Amino acid sequence: TILGTVFISGCKTEIKKEKIIGIWRGEKMINPHEEEEYNQQKKMVDTMTFSNPWDKEYWGTDDPKEIRKKIREEFENEKKSIREMLRNSTKQYLENGNLILTMNNQIIDTIKWIITNDMKLVEIGNSYNDTLNIDELSQSTFIISKTIFGKKAQLIYKREQ
């Protein structure tokens, strides 16, 4: 019956809400679109030619092998920086529907959150609104996702408290 379906989906939503309450630390990001772009940039660097006087001034060398090496190091440092930023961020979901976002133990924003009847997590703020899929929600792991440029990207969080 329709009433039974509404009741079951309502209970399922409530169970999810109970599980999400707490502090979650960023653990890992899986973003196939970003990974493809990164790999394309690496390939591009392998085929680049360097003949601009600016290259020596900027890179400190005019040796193409050294310049390529330095560019690859910059790419790796950027990826490492993104991983560190994620690991230094938390989301604290409160029972009252507030969500406290922190970076390096500093509050950067407080926004609202809800779980819809179709199990979507909606985070709503003044400058930030997002609708995410809940892929997994257990006592220790919380995985959310969304489609970016046609590919599923995931953020994986671990419960802190």
Side-chain angles (χ1 to χ4, degrees):
T1 67
I2 293 174
L3 183 57
T5 304
V6 171
F7 177 75
I8 290 169
S9 71
C11 289
K12 193 173 181 184
T13 300
E14 289 304 313
I15 292 168
K16 293 268 185 182
K17 285 180 182 178
E18 290 279 319
K19 282 186 170 181
I20 200 172
I21 303 300
I23 299 174
W24 299 89
R25 180 165 300 279
E27 181 76 18
K28 184 177 181 180
M29 178 173 56
I30 301 169
N31 188 336
H33 174 73
E34 241 178 48
E35 197 61 37
E36 282 177 10
E37 281 190 349
Y38 173 76
N39 289 332
Q40 288 172 354
Q41 289 174 341
K42 280 177 33 179
K43 286 178 186 175
M44 183 184 73
V45 168
D46 291 339
T47 61
M48 288 174 77
T49 58
F50 302 94
S51 59
N52 188 328
W54 173 86
D55 292 334
K56 183 169 183 165
E57 184 178 321
Y58 184 81
W59 297 109
T61 183
D62 57 2
D63 178 4
K65 286 182 181 179
E66 283 297 312
I67 294 172
R68 286 185 187 98
K69 180 181 173 190
K70 289 181 180 204
I71 293 172
R72 283 189 207 100
E73 286 172 358
E74 281 191 3
F75 287 161
E76 287 302 317
N77 287 338
E78 185 177 327
K79 283 181 79 170
K80 183 179 177 184
S81 175
I82 291 168
R83 283 191 303 267
E84 288 297 315
M85 184 174 66
L86 180 62
R87 288 185 181 129
N88 289 322
S89 70
T90 63
K91 290 183 169 195
Q92 182 178 6
Y93 294 88
L94 303 175
E95 288 183 47
N96 66 4
N98 285 336
L99 169 56
I100 301 171
L101 306 172
T102 69
M103 180 68 63
N104 296 319
N105 297 319
Q106 300 293 316
I107 295 174
I108 57 172
D109 205 354
T110 300
I111 62 176
K112 296 288 184 187
W113 69 275
I114 60 168
I115 296 177
T116 65
N117 287 338
D118 60 349
M119 295 296 136
K120 303 281 186 197
L121 172 64
V122 181
E123 298 177 344
I124 308 159
N126 290 330
S127 60
Y128 171 81
N129 293 311
D130 215 350
T131 300
L132 305 154
N133 299 308
I134 301 172
D135 294 345
E136 181 181 330
L137 181 54
S138 68
Q139 287 297 74
S140 61
T141 303
F142 179 38
I143 302 174
I144 52 178
S145 69
K146 70 187 289 182
T147 301
I148 300 175
F149 294 108
K151 302 204 184 293
K152 181 179 179 177
Q154 290 183 309
L155 285 171
I156 301 168
Y157 292 87
K158 294 294 181 183
R159 186 178 295 278
E160 200 163 84
Q161 290 181 353

